[in-house]
């Protein structure tokens, strides 16, 4: 049995018994020439050309006293089919990638190769893709062999199927096939205990490894959490606008950053992948979302830690440190932590809360459902991108991150009347961020380690909004109106609602200027939370489902680049603020205008390099990247275990759920944005 030791393949071995001659190791071209060399001046056979899915069979006899000779007395062909299967497929009963790719196997995992005819054979596998160097795996004829592919790509396979043997040698038919090995991303709960442990162990190492340590251990191309987090902050926490969220580039950016994460994760352990979390399973199982095993201590830890600082303090990711970014990043909070500048919380650890502005789970009863996703199966790309930014994905961020440190005078309004009036708890943080981008809210440049959080909070300076002591509701209303706050909320009768709780526009402005504290997942530092990584896989998997369904003619899916903007949504403001003329540290105001933030237009460049071999340092546009991640693309090193199987759907199939639904859209909450990500 041939086997792999790390990335090294077993040497070529040919048996010298039973007339199966010992052969030197040769490349595939030479091997084919010798196999097909004419004997007794017979006509030379056509050389094999290895193409994906092409099967070629020829009858050959091997004599002990010769190299390889054609047995002209038997050139018959035999129908044969290669079957490849791994432990995951055997256990789940599902074919990788729903059979989209021919003979797809999981890299760095034992795979069984066998003939469906159950005939014995000698198996030869290309050592690495495009090397044409064949390695014989078994020294005795077998009905199947086990093999681990350690390189990503298309491997040529030669199978010498034994027909019969006599004193002159072994007569066999040769089957030529290919096997494609890729990284396989699976739902976390579908992994076996070994694969799940490998994933979480590698993820924890990634969480705690600095850039310098990572480069020393894993090579120059290693990207640490701190480096990836910094890039996310540069995109999402820029004062100009959000280059990564709330518009058409949202999915591309998160597919790209997850790809980078996977590269680093696999440098730590090549057996693992950027596995995903199908969060529709929780509502499908009638499970309370906060009771999900996703939040077990040995998984990702509590969604709402029981301590005053909201620190994840138990389990595998207990006290995950927030990186100090002073000198490393131009975007940090006043304490020098790699957080959104407006998140002035000094707590240097991962934080979460399952309440948002006093309200449990941001008024959500559960995560998005299969029906929610199926409701968008007949939509356009622009509609799907908008839904993934918000209703199908963004609200999970908010439910895990949360928002606290708000004035208690708002508690009763938030719990009793806000939703019925057309508002939502998440709008307060989103509107606060909007005021910050426009320059109304300012952040202390620095706060020393001994400065209390209360003394390092955001505020709206009197130089900008006027004397707070002299401010009344009329003036506050004018400021809110100029800032566009009323245009981004559909709260009806705002004035009367505030009055019912003895509040006014001055109180509203003051609260928005104060901002409060979000958990990492409800901010631009979301990659700091390890739940960030499996969350985005489900979004890409859904788009994969749509693109494959379209290619098969099952649905119509208009892929014209665009984004369906939602009016009266606090995060979807369409404002770009130019700070280039504002002197650092001054209270001058930027110039803001309606526009599309760079990073979202079809021809805008994405900040990712070296994702696949041919890319190198070349930056791709949104349009180019969207083609690279097409499920039929040969540039993708990874594939999903399945894109159609969704446990919570009718018959566990997303298309069946779509087909059985009479509604085009069935989303339960369609108005959240990504929440200041």
């Amino acid at each position: 049995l041939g086997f792999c030791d790390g990335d090294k393949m077993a040497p070529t071995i040919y048996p010298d018994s039973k007339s199966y001659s010992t052969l030197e190791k040769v490349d595939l071209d030479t091997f084919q020439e010798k196999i097909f060399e004419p004997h007794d001046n017979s006509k030379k056979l056509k050389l094999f050309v290895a193409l994906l899915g092409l099967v070629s069979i020829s009858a050959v006899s091997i004599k002990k006293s010769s190299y390889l000779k054609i047995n002209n007395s038997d050139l018959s062909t035999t129908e044969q089919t290669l079957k490849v299967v791994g432990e995951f497929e055997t256990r789940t009963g599902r074919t990788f990638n729903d059979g989209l790719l021919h003979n797809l196997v999981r890299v760095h995992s034992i795979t069984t190769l066998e003939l469906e005819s159950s005939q014995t054979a000698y198996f030869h596998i290309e050592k690495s893709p495009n090397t044409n160097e064949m390695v014989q795996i078994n020294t005795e004829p077998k009905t199947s062999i086990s093999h681990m592919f350690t390189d990503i790509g298309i491997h040529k396979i030669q199978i010498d199927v034994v027909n019969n043997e006599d004193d002159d040698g072994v007569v066999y038919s040769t089957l030529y096939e290919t096997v494609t090995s890729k990284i396989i991303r699976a739902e976390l709960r579908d992994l076996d205990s070994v694969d799940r442990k490998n994933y979480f162990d590698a993820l924890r190492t990634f969480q705690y490894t600095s850039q310098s340590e990572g480069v020393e251990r894993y090579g120059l191309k290693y990207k640490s959490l701190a480096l990836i987090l910094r890039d996310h902050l540069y995109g999402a926490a820029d004062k100009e606008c959000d280059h990564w969220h709330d518009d058409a580039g949202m999915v591309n950016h998160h597919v790209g950053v997850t790809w980078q994460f996977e590269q680093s994760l696999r440098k730590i352990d090549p057996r693992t992948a950027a596995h995903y979390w199908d969060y529709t399973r929780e509502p499908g199982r009638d499970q309370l979302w906060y009771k999900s095993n996703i939040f077990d201590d040995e998984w990702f830890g509590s969604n709402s830690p029981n301590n005053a600082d909201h620190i994840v303090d138990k389990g595998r990711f207990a006290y995950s440190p927030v990186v100090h970014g002073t000198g490393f990043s131009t975007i940090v909070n006043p304490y020098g932590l790699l957080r959104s500048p407006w998140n002035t919380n000094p707590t240097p650890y991962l934080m979460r809360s399952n309440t948002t502005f006093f309200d449990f789970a941001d008024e959500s009863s559960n995560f998005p459902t299969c029906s929610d996703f199926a409701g968008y199966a007949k939509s356009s790309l622009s509609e799907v991108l908008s839904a993934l930014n918000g209703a199908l994905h963004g609200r999970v961020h908010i439910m895990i991150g949360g928002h606290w440190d708000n004035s208690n005078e708002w508690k009763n309004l938030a719990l009793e009347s806000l939703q019925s009036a057309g508002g939502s708890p998440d709008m307060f943080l989103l509107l606060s961020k909007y005021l910050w981008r426009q320059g109304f809210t300012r952040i202390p440049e620095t706060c020393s380690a001994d400065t209390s959080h209360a003394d390092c909070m955001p505020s709206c300076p009197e130089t900008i909004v006027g004397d707070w002591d002299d401010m009344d509701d009329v003036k506050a209303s004018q400021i809110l109106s100029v800032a566009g706050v009323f245009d981004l909320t559909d709260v009806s009768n705002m004035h009367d609602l505030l009055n019912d709780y003895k509040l006014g526009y001055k109180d509203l402005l003051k609260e928005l200027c104060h901002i409060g504290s979000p958990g990492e997942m409800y901010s631009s530092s979301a990659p700091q939370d390890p739940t960030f990584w499996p969350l985005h896989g489900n979004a890409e998997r859904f788009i994969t489902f749509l693109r494959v369904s379209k290619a098969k003619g099952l649905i119509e899916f208009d892929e014209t680049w665009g984004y369906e903007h939602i009016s009266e949504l606090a995060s979807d403001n369409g404002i770009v603020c130019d700070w280039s003329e504002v002197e650092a540290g001054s209270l001058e105001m930027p110039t803001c205008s309606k526009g599309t933030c760079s990073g979202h237009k079809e021809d805008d460049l994405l900040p990712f390099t070296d994702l696949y071999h041919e890319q190198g340092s070349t930056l791709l546009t949104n349009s180019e990247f969207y083609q690279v991640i097409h499920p039929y693309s040969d540039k993708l090193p990874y594939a999903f275990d399945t894109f159609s199987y969704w446990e919570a759907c009718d018959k566990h199939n997303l298309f069946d759920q779509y087909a059985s639904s009479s509604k085009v859209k069935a989303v339960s909450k369609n108005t959240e944005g990504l929440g200041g990500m």
Side-chain angles (χ1 to χ4, degrees):
L1 177 65
F3 66 95
C4 299
D5 181 9
D7 289 330
K8 296 182 179 180
M9 302 289 289
T12 301
I13 302 173
Y14 290 86
D16 56 8
S17 61
K18 294 188 178 180
S19 299
Y20 205 79
S21 303
T22 300
L23 303 178
E24 60 181 336
K25 183 168 66 176
V26 295
D27 68 28
L28 185 61
D29 293 334
T30 305
F31 197 29
Q32 290 169 164
E33 290 174 3
K34 290 185 179 294
I35 288 176
F36 297 122
E37 182 180 343
H39 181 62
D40 295 333
N41 298 318
S42 62
K43 186 177 181 180
K44 190 172 184 178
L45 297 177
K46 184 181 295 183
L47 291 178
F48 159 67
V49 180
L51 295 174
L52 183 65
L54 179 64
V55 177
S56 176
I57 301 176
S58 61
V60 182
S61 173
I62 300 181
K63 293 186 177 182
K64 190 169 185 177
S65 59
S66 63
Y67 190 64
L68 281 178
K69 292 185 178 180
I70 297 297
N71 185 342
N72 292 303
S73 63
D74 183 8
L75 290 177
S76 61
T77 60
T78 305
E79 287 294 330
Q80 297 286 356
T81 303
L82 175 65
K83 179 182 178 181
V84 297
V85 64
E87 179 278 333
F88 183 91
E89 296 157 297
T90 300
R91 180 166 48 82
T92 64
R94 302 194 296 270
T95 302
F96 279 146
N97 210 223
D98 299 339
L100 187 67
L101 298 176
H102 180 72
N103 287 342
L104 177 63
V105 303
R106 177 183 166 197
V107 71
H108 277 284
S109 181
I110 297 295
T111 298
T112 298
L113 286 77
E114 61 184 359
L115 293 171
E116 291 195 348
S117 66
S118 298
Q119 286 182 263
T120 60
Y122 295 94
F123 293 80
H124 312 260
I125 298 176
E126 188 177 20
K127 183 175 181 180
S128 296
N130 302 315
T131 62
N132 288 341
E133 186 177 348
M134 304 299 288
V135 177
Q136 182 172 337
I137 303 302
N138 55 313
T139 60
E140 295 291 337
K142 292 179 176 291
T143 57
S144 66
I145 57 104
S146 295
H147 185 73
M148 179 187 291
F149 293 87
T150 58
D151 292 304
I152 295 169
I154 299 175
H155 298 257
K156 302 179 185 73
I157 310 293
Q158 175 186 318
I159 306 171
D160 297 335
V161 186
V162 176
N163 295 332
N164 61 68
E165 74 181 278
D166 53 30
D167 293 338
D168 292 328
V170 177
V171 178
Y172 63 91
S173 298
T174 299
L175 169 69
Y176 296 103
E177 258 284 8
T178 58
V179 166
T180 300
S181 58
K182 285 180 179 278
I183 304 160
I184 301 297
R185 298 178 178 178
E187 214 281 341
L188 287 168
R189 286 161 289 201
D190 289 343
L191 299 174
D192 65 18
S193 59
V194 174
D195 285 334
R196 193 178 302 116
K197 183 179 185 301
N198 292 341
Y199 170 80
F200 277 113
D201 286 350
L203 180 56
R204 190 180 190 282
T205 299
F206 172 77
Q207 192 83 4
Y208 286 85
T209 300
S210 69
Q211 181 64 26
S212 58
E213 290 172 333
V215 168
E216 183 178 352
R217 293 179 193 172
Y218 310 116
L220 293 175
K221 291 189 176 182
Y222 180 83
K223 291 183 182 293
S224 66
L225 170 61
L227 193 62
I228 293 176
L229 174 55
R230 183 184 69 177
D231 290 344
H232 192 273
L233 284 168
Y234 284 172
D238 186 2
K239 285 198 294 186
E240 179 188 26
C241 55
D242 191 329
H243 306 279
W244 283 42
H245 306 90
D246 302 311
D247 213 319
M250 177 266 168
V251 168
N252 273 356
H253 279 94
H254 289 83
V255 171
V257 77
T258 303
W259 197 338
Q260 286 185 326
F261 158 73
E262 183 172 70
Q263 289 177 325
S264 291
L265 200 69
R266 295 190 69 256
K267 288 183 182 297
I268 297 169
D269 187 342
R271 298 171 297 178
T272 194
H275 298 302
Y276 64 90
W277 169 23
D278 176 7
Y279 41 83
T280 68
R281 291 190 180 188
E282 278 78 7
R285 296 173 177 180
D286 291 326
Q287 181 180 31
L288 297 172
W289 70 270
Y290 52 91
K291 297 285 189 180
S292 170
N293 58 349
I294 289 291
F295 302 115
D296 288 351
D297 286 344
E298 287 306 303
W299 288 44
F300 293 98
S302 174
N303 57 80
S304 194
N306 186 25
N307 60 76
D309 293 319
H310 303 274
I311 299 169
V312 177
D313 59 351
K314 295 179 182 178
R316 187 185 298 268
F317 296 102
Y319 294 100
S320 290
V322 175
V323 179
H324 281 265
T326 303
F328 172 70
S329 173
T330 58
I331 295 181
V332 293
N333 81 353
Y335 292 96
L337 298 174
L338 278 180
R339 281 193 170 124
S340 306
W342 44 262
N343 181 7
T344 64
N345 198 305
T347 304
Y349 302 109
L350 171 64
M351 301 184 299
R352 296 179 187 149
S353 174
N354 59 21
T355 60
T356 298
F357 203 79
F358 304 106
D359 203 299
F360 182 74
D362 191 32
E363 296 183 340
S364 297
S365 60
N366 215 322
F367 295 138
T369 67
C370 174
S371 293
D372 292 339
F373 278 89
Y376 277 92
K378 203 173 182 179
S379 302
S380 65
L381 177 63
S382 62
E383 291 174 300
V384 169
L385 293 176
S386 179
L388 288 173
N389 186 80
L392 297 182
H393 154 260
R395 86 174 191 235
V396 183
H397 275 269
I398 302 172
M399 294 166 74
I400 296 175
H403 179 207
W404 62 93
D405 282 340
N406 311 111
S407 174
N408 279 325
E409 62 184 358
W410 289 89
K411 184 174 182 178
N412 290 338
L413 182 150
L415 294 177
E416 297 172 359
S417 303
L418 185 60
Q419 185 177 20
S420 61
S424 61
D426 56 58
M427 76 178 196
F428 282 85
L429 182 59
L430 302 179
L431 291 172
S432 291
K433 185 188 68 171
Y434 186 44
L435 290 180
W436 167 74
R437 276 217 163 92
Q438 294 182 86
F440 290 96
T441 302
R442 299 301 172 108
I443 314 297
E445 290 189 32
T446 60
C447 294
S448 62
D450 60 355
T451 301
S452 69
H453 187 201
D455 292 329
C456 191
M457 295 297 292
S459 64
C460 292
E462 291 186 345
T463 304
I464 296 174
V465 301
D467 190 331
W468 279 98
D469 291 334
D470 293 336
M471 185 177 296
D472 56 19
D473 276 1
V474 174
K475 185 173 183 181
S477 175
Q478 291 172 344
I479 295 171
L480 292 168
S481 180
V482 169
V485 168
F486 297 138
D487 296 330
L488 295 176
T489 176
D490 56 0
V491 174
S492 59
N493 300 315
M494 174 74 80
H495 181 270
D496 293 341
L497 176 64
L498 295 174
N499 279 342
D500 288 343
Y501 290 89
K502 298 182 180 180
L503 296 167
Y505 288 123
K506 178 180 177 180
D507 300 301
L508 176 59
L509 177 60
K510 186 176 181 180
E511 186 62 28
L512 295 180
C513 293
H514 173 75
I515 297 184
S517 297
E520 316 305 331
M521 281 290 275
Y522 191 16
S523 76
S524 307
S525 60
Q528 174 71 39
D529 193 316
T531 61
F532 176 89
W533 303 111
L535 179 62
H536 294 99
N538 220 36
E540 182 180 359
R541 192 169 73 106
F542 179 55
I543 287 189
T544 297
F545 164 80
L546 295 176
R547 299 177 87 174
V548 172
S549 298
K550 174 185 177 179
K552 292 182 176 181
L554 300 176
I555 64 170
E556 295 180 2
F557 181 44
D558 180 0
E559 295 183 82
T560 303
W561 190 258
Y563 187 84
E564 185 181 73
H565 292 280
I566 302 173
S567 61
E568 299 181 333
L569 179 61
S571 63
D572 196 355
N573 51 67
I575 293 294
V576 178
C577 294
D578 182 2
W579 285 80
S580 61
E581 301 299 322
V582 176
E583 183 179 348
S586 75
L587 293 178
E588 298 173 6
M589 297 290 279
T591 302
C592 299
S593 58
K594 285 285 186 180
T596 300
C597 187
S598 61
H600 295 290
K601 294 186 286 293
E602 187 173 13
D603 294 329
D604 285 348
L605 295 173
L606 300 174
F608 310 112
T609 59
D610 294 308
L611 294 177
Y612 55 94
H613 179 69
E614 298 89 344
Q615 182 192 6
S617 60
T618 302
L619 296 177
L620 303 177
T621 66
N622 270 311
S623 177
E624 292 168 337
F625 186 84
Y626 186 68
Q627 293 309 311
V628 165
I629 63 173
H630 193 285
Y632 290 104
S633 170
D634 61 359
K635 295 180 174 60
L636 279 180
Y638 63 85
F640 290 98
D641 61 333
T642 175
F643 45 84
S644 63
Y645 177 87
W646 294 55
E647 181 192 277
C649 294
D650 287 351
K651 301 178 183 178
H652 306 311
N653 188 287
L654 182 58
F655 187 80
D656 284 336
Q657 180 77 38
Y658 158 71
S660 66
S661 175
S662 60
K663 296 181 180 180
V664 174
K665 291 184 181 179
V667 176
S668 58
K669 190 175 182 185
N670 187 30
T671 56
E672 306 103 329
L674 248 169
M677 297 295 298

